[in-house]
Amino acid sequence: MMNLVIFGAPGSGKGTQSDRLIDEFGLFHISTGELLRNHIAQDTELGRLADSYISKGHLIPDDLMIKILEDVLDSNPYRARRGVIFDGFPRTIAQAEALEKMLEARGAGIDAVVGLEVPEEELTQRLIKRGQREGRSDDTPETIKERLNVYHSTTHPLREFYTGKGKYSSVDGTGTIESIYSDIKKALSHLNLQPNEHSIDPLINS
Ligand code: AP5
Ligand code: MG
């Protein structure tokens, strides 16, 4: 099982680059933001609670977020068999420590953390553009500012956390999507990732 964390500020390209890694290597994509947005779209109890944090650009409390993640891992053993790309999780030191324990209990660990580096001005421009195009509720100028503040105060320290463990690779997240993807693969070359040749419908087999 190969477990990767794709790390970076809001708008740095975590989702965009995860899509490519999943296609090529058959990893299971866990995006905590997408998961919460699905709950909001379905108007579940969790969705209503999540919306009250997301719309302000604040983080969902650690206890709840950690439990949600553990449930996803427990209920998708087949999809996670080759490994997982964690996108948007962990976002706090408490989440990183919990993730380590969860994976350890499953005989695994985090193999690498790829951090996408993008200047703040470009992040803001990308998110404002997406807000106008797709209308994601947290892509408004005020909420974007708050998301970036939360990133700097609470999430950015994970860079040190994973650097200290020798797992962090920094990748320039500006330029074309293809050139960034190629740099990500270079940063992961020591892991000897194997292309996914036999793709099986994961939903049927999980
Ligand atoms: P989440 O969904 O994780 O959002 P985020 O971290 O703010 O990041 P985004 O999804 O906006 O950006 P991205 O890095 O995926 O970039 P993308 O590829 O989309 O979280 C949302 C909220 O949920 C949080 O604020 C929090 O409230 C809650 N939450 C989630 N996880 C949580 C957790 N673990 N704990 C607590 N709360 C949690 O790209 C962005 C845009 O740029 C796109 O339009 C894309 O097309 C464009 N783009 C991508 N690459 C390039 C490029 N190379 N050049 C130009 N444009 C590009
Ligand atoms: Mg995303």
Side-chain angles (χ1 to χ4, degrees), residues 66-115:
I66 289 164
K67 177 157 186 335
I68 293 170
L69 193 91
E70 193 149 29
D71 286 348
V72 175
L73 282 179
D74 280 344
S75 45
N76 293 279
Y78 184 83
R79 284 204 257 181
R81 78 202 185 287
R82 284 177 65 94
V84 176
I85 299 181
F86 294 96
D87 160 3
F89 189 101
R91 261 177 146 94
T92 63
I93 300 282
Q95 291 182 12
E97 286 170 346
L99 181 61
E100 222 165 59
K101 281 197 195 128
M102 268 183 243
L103 293 176
E104 218 174 85
R106 290 164 175 78
I110 291 294
D111 294 284
V113 178
V114 175

Side-chain angles (χ1 to χ4, degrees), residues 9-16 32-34 36-37 53-54 57-60 65 87-89 91 95 122 126-127 130 133 136 138 147 173 175-177 180:
S12 57
K14 301 184 293 295
T16 305
T32 42
E34 298 239 322
L36 297 168
R37 281 188 291 278
Y53 292 96
I54 291 181
H58 296 156
L59 298 183
I60 274 72
M65 204 63 240
D87 160 3
F89 189 101
R91 261 177 146 94
Q95 291 182 12
E122 179 160 348
R126 286 183 188 181
L127 295 175
R130 186 177 62 190
R133 204 176 52 232
R136 203 172 112 172
D138 57 350
R147 284 158 68 197
T176 66
I177 290 167
I180 298 163

Side-chain angles (χ1 to χ4, degrees), residues 171-184:
V171 168
D172 180 355
T174 63
T176 66
I177 290 167
E178 286 317 317
S179 70
I180 298 163
Y181 184 54
S182 149
D183 288 345
I184 291 175

Side-chain angles (χ1 to χ4, degrees), residues 11-12 48 83 159:
S12 57
R48 285 190 289 274
R159 209 171 176 272

